[in-house]
């Protein structure tokens, strides 16, 4: 992991949410409407922030464009994220909103039961925050935008990247956010990469994506709308990656699941880490699967000992 020097152009700029995560895992069968024994942990989170931290731990120069409240939780989120090597110069502090929180309850196997997200700061993520990072985006090798931020802000980020010929990746994050972001994906505004899961793929395309044939048809619909690389995450089954004349399914790597939170963020970051090195995209996806498997094996949203060597050893 390297400490980010704000005077060195970043490999990648991540534009997305930052918050604090609370994970509570039950030690017994979850019974709705009842209390049960378990354990809990607190850690900085947010899809954009998580991806940025994973990239920094893998050794990339990464800058985060985000919004947090001017409060103690915001102080902790920024301090921690800077300490792991992310340039937070363009993280905006706002006194009129709370730093976001994500409160998740997991069952005894580590699978999510329910979560409550208070994303007030991310909801107030103005296009002006992105405009302020214009010079940062201009010098980057890649930009990653995630769907938690307002659509208008994501649109400005994508347009700025296009203005400077910087490749853009988009992570739709969830089904509601994917539906909201459909119009971001247009044939006249190409995206280098889109990374939906199966349900988000259906939401982005307004097509069914239940069967293998339906997934392939929906993937090609995204290609028709200007997306170069479509990487569909299929959970425990693995993923499908499609680009040029390649359409390939990759199996997930077996792992003992402790907590699934953050696995998708690690998967995306590790993939982008390899893309920056011009690695074959199928191999980059395998590297992403390895990072996800390693993350599922810990209680951390971002695995504390994550490194390129650790992921490569598993991959």
């Amino acid at each position: 992991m390297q400490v980010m020097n704000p005077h060195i152009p970043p490999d990648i700029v991540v534009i997305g949410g930052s918050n604090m995560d609370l994970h509570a895992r039950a030690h017994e069968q979850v019974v709705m409407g009842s209390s049960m024994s378990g354990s809990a942990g607190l850690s900085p989170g947010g899809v954009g922030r998580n991806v940025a931290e994973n990239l920094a731990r893998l050794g990339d120069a990464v800058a985060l464009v985000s919004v947090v409240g001017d409060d103690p939780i915001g102080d902790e989120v920024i301090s921690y994220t800077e300490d792991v090597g992310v340039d937070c110069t363009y993280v905006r502090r706002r006194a009129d909103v709370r730093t976001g929180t994500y409160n998740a309850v997991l069952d005894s196997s580590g699978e999510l039961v329910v979560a409550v997200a208070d994303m007030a700061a991310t909801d107030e993520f103005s296009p002006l925050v992105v405009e302020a990072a214009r010079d940062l985006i201009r010098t980057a090798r890649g930009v990653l935008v995630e769907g938690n931020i307002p659509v208008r802000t994501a649109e400005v980020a994508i347009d700025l990247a296009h203005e400077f010929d910087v490749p853009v990746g988009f992570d739709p994050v969830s089904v509601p956010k994917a539906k909201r972001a459909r119009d971001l994906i247009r044939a006249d505004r190409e995206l280098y990469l889109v990374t939906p899961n199966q349900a988000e793929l259906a939401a982005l395309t307004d097509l069914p994506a239940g069967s293998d044939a339906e997934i392939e048809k929906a993937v090609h619909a995204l290609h028709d709308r200007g997306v170069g690389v479509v990487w569909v995450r299929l959970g425990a089954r693995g993923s499908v990656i499609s680009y040029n004349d390649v359409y390939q399914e990759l199996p997930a790597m077996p792992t003992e699941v402790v907590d699934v939170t953050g696995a998708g963020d690690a998967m995306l970051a590790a993939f982008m880490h390899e893309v920056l090195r011009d690695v074959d995209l199928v191999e980059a996806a395998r590297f992403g699967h390895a990072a996800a498997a390693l993350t599922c094996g810990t209680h951390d949203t971002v695995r504390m000992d994550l490194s390129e060597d650790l992921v490569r050893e598993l991959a």
Side-chain angles (χ1 to χ4, degrees):
M1 182 177 66
Q2 66 188 52
V3 176
M4 179 71 179
N5 182 336
H7 301 295
I8 297 175
D11 292 321
I12 189 161
V13 174
V14 180
I15 302 174
S18 299
N19 54 260
M20 188 68 79
D21 288 350
L22 172 64
H23 301 149
R25 178 171 176 169
H27 290 167
E28 53 194 291
Q29 183 178 356
V30 173
V31 178
M32 302 307 291
S34 177
S35 63
M36 62 215 71
S37 64
S39 57
L42 199 65
S43 62
V47 172
R49 198 219 64 85
N50 291 346
V51 172
E53 180 182 344
N54 277 291
L55 283 162
R57 291 189 180 278
L58 291 169
D60 297 302
V62 55
L64 176 65
V65 179
S66 191
V67 175
V68 297
D70 190 7
D71 52 28
I73 295 178
D75 292 341
E76 177 62 24
V77 169
I78 290 178
S79 175
Y80 177 93
T81 307
E82 287 180 331
D83 284 348
V84 299
V86 178
D87 178 5
C88 293
T89 304
Y90 292 91
V91 177
R92 171 84 183 277
R93 307 295 302 272
R94 287 190 54 153
D96 58 336
V97 295
R98 298 180 303 276
T99 299
T101 56
Y102 175 79
N103 305 276
V105 176
L106 311 171
D107 65 20
S108 57
S109 68
E111 295 292 333
L112 181 67
V113 176
V114 68
V116 176
D118 176 359
M119 298 299 172
T122 302
D123 291 341
E124 296 299 324
F125 194 142
S126 163
L128 294 176
V129 178
V130 175
E131 290 281 4
R134 168 183 287 268
D135 289 342
L136 184 73
I137 293 168
R138 178 176 54 81
T139 58
R141 294 176 58 200
V143 168
L144 182 68
V145 178
E146 58 105 334
N148 280 313
I149 66 176
V151 172
R152 177 57 186 148
T153 303
E155 189 171 38
V156 169
I158 293 168
D159 287 344
L160 266 181
H162 280 169
E163 180 181 338
F164 300 123
D165 293 322
V166 178
V168 184
F170 177 68
D171 181 3
V173 174
S174 70
V175 170
K177 304 294 172 63
K179 289 179 178 178
R180 192 180 70 176
R182 278 179 190 159
D183 291 342
L184 288 175
I185 303 174
R186 307 196 310 252
D188 65 336
R189 184 171 58 195
E190 294 181 358
L191 292 174
Y192 171 73
L193 170 71
V194 174
T195 61
N197 64 23
Q198 198 168 344
E200 292 159 4
L201 175 65
L204 283 173
T205 59
D206 203 21
L207 293 170
S211 68
D212 289 350
E214 288 172 343
I215 290 171
E216 185 168 0
K217 183 177 180 180
V219 164
H220 285 295
L222 288 181
H223 287 315
D224 290 342
R225 287 163 58 191
V227 180
V229 181
V230 181
W231 190 24
V232 185
R233 292 173 279 189
L234 304 175
R237 177 176 163 184
S239 70
V240 165
I241 189 164
S242 177
Y243 59 96
N244 298 333
D245 295 326
V246 175
Y247 187 91
Q248 184 165 337
E249 181 171 346
L250 295 93
M253 292 191 176
T255 186
E256 182 179 347
V257 174
V258 174
D259 186 341
V260 298
T261 309
D265 303 334
M267 189 170 168
L268 176 55
F271 178 80
M272 294 304 302
H273 173 80
E274 295 292 82
V275 168
L276 290 168
R277 283 148 189 80
D278 296 322
V279 172
D280 172 81
L281 294 184
V282 173
E283 293 307 312
R286 288 196 176 99
F287 191 78
H289 278 296
L294 287 165
T295 302
C296 283
T298 73
H299 291 285
D300 303 316
T301 303
V302 178
R303 186 171 174 131
M304 303 290 284
D305 63 346
L306 189 75
S307 68
E308 181 176 14
D309 289 343
L310 183 66
V311 180
R312 200 149 324 271
E313 182 179 343
L314 181 60

